[in-house]
Structure formats: structure tokens, C-alpha cells
Amino acid sequence: TELASEAIEAGELSTRLPAEQVARILFAAAEGIRLTWCVRPSGSLVAQAEADLGAILTALTSGQVSPAAGAHR
């Protein structure tokens, strides 16, 4: 939550969601990515997490989702 608050205050993330909600979204996504990879490992877990969390952060930053986000699944 602290990192999300700092990112919002620095203008790196949109202010439309509270820091607590941003932190919960990112934590839940990271856990889901990790669990999915454990069940069906494909490629690098780090690369998968970077791609998926990057897509989420892009949406939280700009308010828009890239058409390519999640296209690899």
C-alpha cells in the first residue's frame, strides 16, 4: 500500500483508485500469475509476471488497456 501511495502521489499512477485498492489488485494479480505458472509452467515466471503486471500498470497509469495486453495466452 505504501508503494502504491507513493506512486499515486508522484503522478506515476492514476488517482481514480485508492492506494489500498491498487495494492490489492497488484497483489492478487501477482498471486494468480504465480499460481498459473506453477500449474502450467511455460517460459520464465519472471517474464510472465513482468508482461502481465506491466499491462495492469499501464492500465492503471493511463486508464486504457492495450489491445495486445494478455494476447500471449
Side-chain angles (χ1 to χ4, degrees):
T1 302
E2 185 177 328
L3 290 176
S5 290
E6 291 173 7
I8 291 168
E9 289 171 11
E12 296 171 350
L13 292 176
S14 171
T15 59
R16 71 181 191 275
L17 296 175
E20 295 79 15
Q21 189 173 6
V22 171
R24 290 180 66 193
I25 289 167
L26 293 173
F27 181 78
E31 286 295 290
I33 294 163
R34 183 183 60 81
L35 287 171
T36 300
W37 189 88
C38 286
V39 173
R40 284 185 297 128
S42 176
S44 163
L45 172 59
V46 172
Q48 187 68 54
E50 287 174 344
D52 291 349
L53 292 174
I56 293 168
L57 287 169
T58 296
L60 291 174
T61 301
S62 67
Q64 297 178 0
V65 177
S66 167
H72 61 279
R73 288 192 178 182

